[in-house]
Amino acid sequence: MSLYLLSIGSIALLSLFLYRFIFFPAFLSPLSKIPNAHWTSSIFPIWIWWKRHAAVESLSIYSAHQKVGPIVRLGPNELSVNSLDGLRQIYTAGLDKHSWYRDEFMNYGIPNLMSTLPHKPHSIQRRMISHIYSKSYLQNSSDLCVLSNVVVCKRLLPLLYAAAVNDSPVDVFKLAPAVGMDFTSGYLFGISNSTNFINDVSARRYYSKLRRSKLRRSSGTERASKEIEFICMSMCEAADAFIQTLSNKKNSPAVDLSQSAIQTTHPVVYSQLSCQIAVSQAHHHPSKSRISIVASEMLDHLVAGYDTSGVAITYLIYQMSLHPAMQDDLRKELHTLSPPLKYPLPQQYAYSDLPLPNTIDALPFLNAIIHETLRLHSPNPSPLPRMTPARSITLEGYPNIPTGVRVSTSAYSMHRNERAYPEPEAWKPERWLRDDKENGVEASDERRRWFWAFGSGGRMCVGSNFALYQLRLVAAAIYTSFTTTVVDDTGIEQMDSFVADPKGEKLVVRFHRVGG
């Protein structure tokens, strides 16, 4: 009798298992009618897990979309969408982030904009700092003007000029993140409290080693994370002391740091965060110090500036080096700027002598080069996962998508839409200059809608305007005074990862003086 009952129980458990994990997801689930990326996708997540482990996730998802259409089932509880309507449903509608963000981007054990999962607290926190990253604020910031002069005219251009004079090749991939780090840390913490990775090669190499260890999850990842947090905290403490020193001086509000004999600037972002975020977040983390709460957010911005700027500058210089005629065309456009960005600088050069940001922003060919580089070589091409809400939703005509489904879109797939970007694997800046119409839709509008380098909706990159400002200025400064040629681009293909560095982790380029 007991054996009989045991057999019945085993059969019941097996039947329940088969129904729950095979029959229901494959045939009865609201997701069952959605095309699968692989024949196992409806019942096992092994296919997408393996693609992530093998570092071919973005390419594999794009290939699946090419085969089955704008929506594809990656696993029993995971979907990918590659359409404008799907983009609006997932990202403009304010769906909460997947727990992956919390696992990957938490700093000091404290949430920040990147690692905050619910939409509402993220929205509240974002509004506290978004104005200091707005285009109008950046274009009128005296602090950013001084910072730009220091980073570009006092650090970067002299280094490149010396390399050109000495005919010394430059590993752009090693230098480009340093430019991003100096720009970002200078805006966050003020020049006197920030990095000088362009000139301090040993510090640059040390940080690069730490960052690679963390990104690649190699041995010492935990130690590297702690070291990076320590570096950021040191800059936070320096900025905090800087602010305190100014507040102790009665006339500090009248002090114009941009005219100081020693070039320095206010810690723009740190100051704002200290006043806003720390106060509002303190009750959520009573055991955490004020500076730790601010530091979590600061490190998020710092790492983003380092990683994404490095990739974008590297591939911009790479593509321009392959197209010397485009260098000439860009230089003609850059010569319309007043004053010019030509190096060496005139003897009477002043810190207000940079071209106005809005004049650089208005250069069509420069913008076309930057947008095409970010399209083809997106620094962050991977899927950005969200979770479906408590109410069911409809995606691409498939109704009743239940709560708790992982859904995502990727820049890699968006940027290879052949209608918006004919010959999507080709680097063609001229595509951004055309206003031809197709089926009554302006091509420029179609390109803009599918461009997703910074995400979209309420969670799009808060520093997008800062990133574009930096890219425009750096590209303009380089190609006003130099031409570039590739020396070694072995392994220039991008990694299929969240930060898409070159696989060879190098790009060796030779800089030549214009007219030299």
Side-chain angles (χ1 to χ4, degrees), residues 78-89:
E78 182 172 0
L79 304 175
S80 175
V81 179
N82 188 40
S83 69
L84 295 179
D85 184 63
L87 196 73
R88 286 188 289 268
Q89 287 276 1

Side-chain angles (χ1 to χ4, degrees), residues 209-224:
K209 181 180 178 181
L210 294 175
R211 188 66 186 143
R212 283 201 310 273
S213 177
K214 183 172 182 178
L215 284 174
R216 312 293 178 250
R217 300 188 182 281
S218 56
S219 59
T221 297
E222 186 174 348
R223 185 189 68 83

